[in-house]
Amino acid sequence: MNHLKSLITGLLFLLSVNGFCQPVIYVNHVAYDKQGPKTAVVSFDQVVKPGLKFSLINLETQKADFNGTLKSPGSMEAWFPGKHYYAADFTALTKTGKYKVSINYQKKDYSSESFTIGKDALTNSTLGAIVQYYHKQRANTPEELAGDKKMLLYGSDKTVDVRGGWADASGDISKYFSHLAYANFMSPQQIPMVAWSMADACENIPGKLDELGIRDSLNSEALWGADYMMRSLSEEDYFYMTVFSYFKPDITARRIVGLDANSVTTDKYQCALREGGGMGIAALARISGLKKDGAFTAAQYLDAAKRAYAHLAVNNLKYTDDGKENIIDDYCGLMAATELWIATDSAYYKDEARKRAASLAKRMSPQGYFIADDKDRPFWHAADAGLPVIALCRYLSKEKEQGRRTVTLAVIKKALDYNLSVTAKVDNPFGYARQTFKHGDKIKEGFFIPHENETGWWWQGENARLASLATAAIVGGRLVYPAAGGWGVKPELASYAQQQLSWVLGQNPYNVCFMYGFGKNNVPYMKALFGHGSQKGGISNGITGKKENGDGSGIDFKIEDEGNEWRWTEQWIPHAGWFLQALTAITEQPAASEVVQKKPAFRVLALAEAGGHHIAFSNQARVWLDSVAVAEHFSIDYTTRTDQIDEAFLKQYQLILQLDYVPYGWKDKAAAAFEKYIDEGQGGWVGFHHATLLGEFDGFPMWNWFSDFMGGIRYVNYIGSFVSAEVNVEDRKHPVMKGVSSKFTIGKEEWYIYNKSPRPKVQVLASADESTYQPNSEVKMGDHPVVWTNTKVKARNVYIFMGHSPDLLLNKDWKLMVKNAILWASGK
């Protein structure tokens, strides 16, 4: 009978939130900041005529303070077949008040849930409740304090005092630095991340905390977390990963453990960097900067962070489950080193932070997502998807060396550009953050994490992921896309951040506010041991892909599922921790911009092959080129095909960069548009290496125009064994050679041989000295130009033969020559 009652309740709930065949208006149930973006989504069961109006009704006056027109962002057939969604944008409304969105459709009025608009309204409404939520999640009942004071290590009769910390979730009162360590790529940051988030707020928005009267309370919670981490630091200077309850009310059953799949416990309880150790160090170092004492002193917090870092510098690989470091070690290690660098100003931690930042930069893929392993696994994460960008931003708060800043800013920019582009790639009315992931042996894009993953069982709602990406959009955006007003970032990033936070607070297809005690349609109360059930201000897991779909496609939300409803309804401390970081980011007043936002001086189209034996060069070159683009204020778009190229397409660009892309197999319209672009001087051109592979290849005839453009040459041979050679600059006065050494050496190159020298028809800027080949080669050309320009066409152009090995990115003369070529050929 109880099961039938629950089923009926669930059906009625879903019918109510989905509107039962009538228009539904989805809004953030809580608050919109007057200075930020403000949108709603309206669903219909049929296409509506263009021009349907909406209004913002002031609930005090019952009059419309704003009127607008709905716009159609599309449908979501994979989610809800037959539904049609429309967007209501009321960003322009900045009047403080309580409102509803209203429409009149087929002579009937429909309204949304109510919400507030005001200055810092989102923070003012929710921050105090979040602080109180953590206070009630403290593992401080008499039973917990007594049991945790003498906690047994798994497989040992040794006990340690690990009092404190926060119960992890409304369905699990264990205490975690992290879990899922055995899965290697999915370890979430738990108690240490929460403590770091609290310190971040204490440091960055003290005025707001004072205004709300919660500064002392939040400081107290941060210190509570620090004290737990201090007690969790072993005599050997590693952190204990988990105090596990075994889901039992018996306090004596708790143990310090490591976890394998299906909650199998082990004695592998030592935290690697990615298993909470890195964030534990970062949190202790940062909290020491608050200059406040808890059960331990600020000086003891910092000393413990130093000791833990020294230990993991030697032992990290020993504690990882697969004996390898991955991206999570990098961003957690970067956070640890950065916070210690900030706290101590030590050259050692500076070097350590720089190593980790460089390692993260190398993980950036050409597509714009990070690579998690040493192969091709895209980085995706159910909770901490924004943490790589946050770690890089925190590093830049200390790093002042311009070269390193430029590279790091380029990585942040590329990551944020990717987040926007992949999210906007399909119809996405709610703006839910999409991602790239590996499912089986296939790279896919989608909304939700794959349910078939390395953990074997763990998938849940992703509200922490959404808040982490919102934080990254604001904090990173202020560095690479600063803007006046609003949240201090360009509108696209502000809207992206707002949509993620609004999804959590009710603007989702189920019309559920996942922050307990706020809005409408909260998930049912979940009871837990020692009073740690659902609490006001806590955030539930949220919405997932369809339960039955291993790749995470489709959509699902269940409030009853035979005990598995925790995937959607359970509160979890990282959700509120990341939401706290997002609130801090949008409330913090942007400092004077570290990057002057300018309209790009020019736009570059880079043609790059999608595979082949030049892909290593192309991938490394893209990372470097992105950093040059940031430093020189131009934008660069990459493509691996010519299908979309025509005259109209090329008018967007002032320079074409042929980055190891062959001169054959182009679509006819692309070839014709390119010829006109060069002949008429519509823009400039810089080509590399493969651009002179002229002849009959792969069944395609030679492109005669291109051969003439390159001096009438045809490819004949190459040095397949790779040799180094000295390059002599012949025209030192040409702008491309400004500052370049008169002679420089290029290593590991497969020097091309042509049927003749292009010299009679082109202006040679540099040539290879074949007598310097190391080792010597019989494949020689005689007069061997390697850098030249064709002055007989109107477009400024430069061909640079060297472009095979990624080692070129270590050659300062080659890099300077390429940068000069880009700036000169673009006319800028």
Side-chain angles (χ1 to χ4, degrees):
M1 186 67 183
N2 286 337
H3 178 70
L4 179 61
K5 182 179 178 182
S6 295
L7 182 61
I8 293 171
T9 301
L11 287 172
L12 290 173
F13 174 79
L14 291 178
L15 286 173
S16 71
V17 299
N18 280 294
F20 198 44
C21 299
Q22 64 184 20
V24 180
I25 305 172
Y26 304 94
V27 296
N28 172 334
H29 295 183
V30 181
Y32 294 87
D33 284 349
K34 65 182 292 183
Q35 64 268 38
K38 294 175 281 293
T39 59
V41 178
V42 187
S43 71
F44 297 86
D45 293 312
Q46 58 277 316
V47 175
V48 301
K49 292 181 179 180
L52 184 63
K53 301 295 184 181
F54 71 92
S55 300
L56 270 291
I57 304 300
N58 188 313
L59 297 186
E60 182 178 353
T61 65
Q62 293 299 311
K63 294 182 179 179
D65 283 350
F66 183 87
N67 296 294
T69 302
L70 295 178
K71 294 181 173 56
S72 174
S75 301
M76 298 290 286
E77 290 298 310
W79 287 7
F80 301 107
K83 289 286 185 181
H84 301 272
Y85 295 92
Y86 294 80
D89 190 328
F90 49 100
T91 301
L93 177 60
T94 58
K95 183 178 178 180
T96 297
K98 194 165 186 177
Y99 290 91
K100 286 187 175 182
V101 177
S102 177
I103 63 169
N104 183 278
Y105 178 67
Q106 295 181 345
K107 299 182 180 180
K108 290 184 179 180
D109 292 326
Y110 299 92
S111 295
S112 71
E113 302 295 345
S114 62
F115 53 85
T116 298
I117 294 177
K119 185 178 185 302
D120 296 333
L122 192 56
T123 301
N124 293 345
S125 299
T126 63
L127 186 53
I130 291 174
V131 175
Q132 187 64 14
Y133 159 71
Y134 282 113
H135 188 73
K136 291 186 176 181
Q137 285 298 108
R138 286 186 177 191
N140 65 353
T141 63
E143 299 96 329
E144 290 169 294
L145 291 174
D148 291 349
K149 188 173 183 179
K150 295 182 178 180
M151 180 62 54
L152 279 166
L153 300 176
Y154 182 88
S156 169
D157 58 3
K158 181 179 179 180
T159 64
V160 292
D161 180 358
V162 285
R163 287 171 295 152
W166 299 284
D168 187 61
S170 53
D172 181 6
I173 56 151
S174 304
K175 301 186 294 188
Y176 300 93
F177 269 59
S178 181
H179 73 298
L180 306 176
Y182 66 92
N184 293 307
F185 297 102
M186 295 184 67
S187 295
Q189 307 308 305
Q190 290 165 262
I191 283 177
M193 186 279 292
V194 168
W196 187 91
S197 301
M198 291 173 174
D200 181 60
C202 290
E203 181 180 314
N204 287 320
I205 56 169
K208 175 58 65 177
L209 298 177
D210 284 339
E211 177 188 324
L212 297 175
I214 58 173
R215 186 174 182 182
D216 288 343
S217 297
L218 189 54
N219 273 316
S220 175
E221 288 306 313
L223 294 171
W224 177 264
D227 290 340
Y228 174 70
M229 288 183 282
M230 291 292 292
R231 296 188 186 105
S232 295
L233 187 62
S234 71
E235 295 173 351
E236 295 84 358
D237 292 334
Y238 60 78
F239 292 107
Y240 299 123
M241 195 184 313
T242 299
V243 172
F244 194 54
S245 71
Y246 291 88
F247 309 106
K248 295 178 180 179
D250 180 5
I251 201 72
T252 64
R254 291 155 76 97
R255 296 286 186 275
I256 291 174
V257 304
L259 287 176
D260 282 345
N262 299 315
S263 299
V264 173
T265 49
T266 76
D267 62 358
K268 295 186 293 184
Y269 41 67
Q270 303 87 356
C271 288
L273 284 168
R274 65 176 178 245
E275 297 161 358
M279 282 305 298
I281 294 165
L284 284 173
R286 188 161 195 184
I287 291 170
S288 77
L290 299 179
K291 305 300 183 185
K292 294 183 180 294
D293 300 339
F296 301 85
T297 67
Q300 286 175 310
Y301 297 145
L302 181 57
D303 179 67
K306 292 178 183 177
R307 289 188 284 114
Y309 192 93
H311 183 83
L312 284 179
V314 175
N315 294 288
N316 191 56
L317 287 179
K318 183 168 67 177
Y319 298 153
T320 60
D321 272 52
D322 59 358
K324 299 177 182 178
E325 289 195 339
N326 64 42
I327 190 172
I328 309 182
D329 296 282
D330 277 343
Y331 60 67
C332 291
L334 177 58
M335 290 294 276
T338 296
E339 293 298 351
L340 283 168
W341 182 18
I342 292 170
T344 66
D345 207 27
S346 161
Y348 170 69
Y349 298 122
K350 173 178 70 176
D351 291 343
E352 291 289 288
R354 286 175 170 177
K355 289 175 188 175
R356 289 292 180 181
S359 185
L360 264 182
K362 290 178 181 177
R363 293 187 183 277
M364 174 53 68
S365 72
Q367 295 84 354
Y369 54 77
F370 289 98
I371 299 296
D373 59 7
D374 54 3
K375 294 179 182 177
D376 64 348
R377 184 191 193 275
F379 170 69
W380 53 269
H381 203 282
D384 304 326
L387 192 45
V389 168
I390 297 300
L392 290 170
C393 292
R394 183 62 176 161
Y395 160 69
L396 286 180
S397 71
K398 182 67 173 175
E399 179 61 77
K400 303 305 176 189
E401 187 177 299
Q402 192 55 49
R404 296 179 189 277
R405 290 186 60 80
T406 298
V407 170
T408 304
L409 288 166
V411 174
I412 294 169
K413 179 179 181 296
K414 193 157 192 175
L416 297 184
D417 288 346
Y418 157 78
N419 287 345
L420 292 179
S421 65
V422 74
T423 297
K425 205 170 184 179
V426 299
D427 282 356
N428 191 358
F430 294 90
Y432 191 92
R434 297 176 74 247
Q435 62 200 323
T436 302
F437 56 86
K438 192 171 186 179
H439 179 242
D441 60 354
K442 293 183 179 179
I443 305 296
K444 295 185 175 184
E445 293 175 354
F447 289 91
F448 304 103
I449 69 167
H451 301 171
E452 294 170 351
N453 57 57
E454 290 92 341
T455 68
W457 68 276
W458 194 75
W459 52 270
Q460 62 177 66
E462 304 169 17
N463 285 335
R465 181 176 82 89
L466 303 186
S468 78
L469 289 169
T471 306
I474 301 302
V475 176
R478 284 178 180 157
L479 293 177
V480 298
Y481 285 117
W487 288 341
V489 298
K490 70 176 185 177
E492 295 88 345
L493 282 172
S495 294
Y496 175 89
Q498 177 257 314
Q499 286 173 310
Q500 310 319 310
L501 300 179
S502 290
W503 176 283
V504 176
L505 298 179
Q507 193 172 305
N508 56 66
Y510 295 94
N511 208 10
V512 177
C513 182
F514 289 107
M515 180 176 281
Y516 198 73
F518 290 84
K520 301 290 184 179
N521 303 322
N522 287 165
V523 302
Y525 178 84
M526 182 177 284
K527 186 178 180 181
L529 297 171
F530 307 118
H532 298 304
S534 302
Q535 305 287 351
K536 183 176 180 179
I539 296 174
S540 299
N541 288 334
I543 297 165
T544 69
K546 191 72 176 173
K547 180 181 178 182
E548 295 79 13
N549 295 353
D551 63 355
S553 58
I555 192 168
D556 227 338
F557 175 72
K558 298 177 185 292
I559 59 171
E560 290 285 347
D561 192 37
E562 298 180 347
N564 289 311
E565 59 275 0
W566 66 269
R567 297 187 186 278
W568 299 276
T569 62
E570 180 183 56
Q571 289 185 352
W572 188 41
I573 61 172
H575 295 312
W578 275 114
F579 204 92
L580 170 60
Q581 279 196 50
L583 293 177
T584 301
I586 62 178
T587 306
E588 181 185 5
Q589 293 300 311
S593 174
E594 298 187 45
V595 178
V596 178
Q597 180 68 359
K598 299 178 180 179
K599 182 180 179 181
F602 56 95
R603 294 185 66 187
V604 177
L605 174 66
L607 287 161
E609 292 162 10
H613 63 288
H614 292 127
I615 193 67
F617 164 78
S618 296
N619 288 347
Q620 288 294 317
R622 288 184 186 197
V623 174
W624 175 71
L625 286 168
D626 286 338
S627 70
V628 175
V630 170
E632 300 297 335
H633 305 295
F634 63 86
S635 65
I636 183 165
D637 297 329
Y638 296 92
T639 185
T640 58
R641 54 192 178 86
T642 63
D643 302 53
Q644 76 272 45
I645 293 177
D646 56 21
E647 288 186 38
F649 182 80
L650 291 184
K651 284 181 180 178
Q652 304 174 81
Y653 299 101
Q654 289 71 54
L655 179 70
I656 296 173
L657 199 64
Q658 198 163 331
L659 188 65
D660 271 353
Y661 200 90
V662 293
Y664 57 81
W666 292 42
K667 299 294 183 182
D668 289 344
K669 67 176 181 179
F674 180 80
E675 291 177 13
K676 185 175 181 180
Y677 184 91
I678 299 298
D679 287 338
E680 296 183 2
Q682 295 173 4
W685 177 86
V686 177
F688 295 90
H689 197 53
H690 233 177
T692 56
L693 193 65
L694 288 154
E696 291 80 25
F697 294 96
D698 300 333
F700 294 101
M702 185 165 82
W703 187 353
N704 291 317
W705 177 91
F706 207 109
S707 174
D708 291 340
F709 177 42
M710 290 291 95
I713 59 174
R714 173 189 285 264
Y715 168 88
V716 174
N717 201 355
Y718 77 111
I719 303 176
S721 58
F722 304 104
V723 301
S724 68
E726 195 171 83
V727 173
N728 293 325
V729 175
E730 296 189 17
D731 188 348
R732 300 197 65 190
K733 293 183 179 180
H734 195 282
V736 170
M737 294 303 175
K738 183 179 180 180
V740 178
S741 303
S742 59
K743 293 182 180 181
F744 57 91
T745 300
I746 296 292
K748 294 183 181 179
E749 193 53 85
E750 49 175 15
W751 305 91
Y752 282 5
I753 306 301
Y754 309 110
N755 63 328
K756 60 183 179 180
S757 171
R759 188 181 296 274
K761 295 184 178 180
V762 300
Q763 179 184 347
V764 175
L765 304 183
S767 57
D769 183 350
E770 295 180 335
S771 69
T772 64
Y773 282 167
Q774 292 292 330
N776 193 21
S777 172
E778 296 299 320
V779 181
K780 292 181 179 176
M781 186 173 156
D783 179 23
H784 197 159
V786 290
V787 184
W788 65 76
T789 179
N790 185 333
T791 59
K792 298 177 178 60
V793 295
K794 289 186 177 180
R796 288 187 177 186
N797 62 90
V798 184
Y799 173 68
I800 299 172
F801 165 75
M802 298 79 74
H804 174 82
S805 170
D807 289 353
L808 286 166
L809 278 302
L810 302 174
N811 189 308
K812 63 180 182 65
D813 286 302
W814 182 87
K815 289 195 293 184
L816 178 57
M817 179 174 61
V818 172
K819 185 177 82 167
N820 289 345
I822 290 170
L823 297 178
W824 176 75
S826 68
K828 303 299 180 181

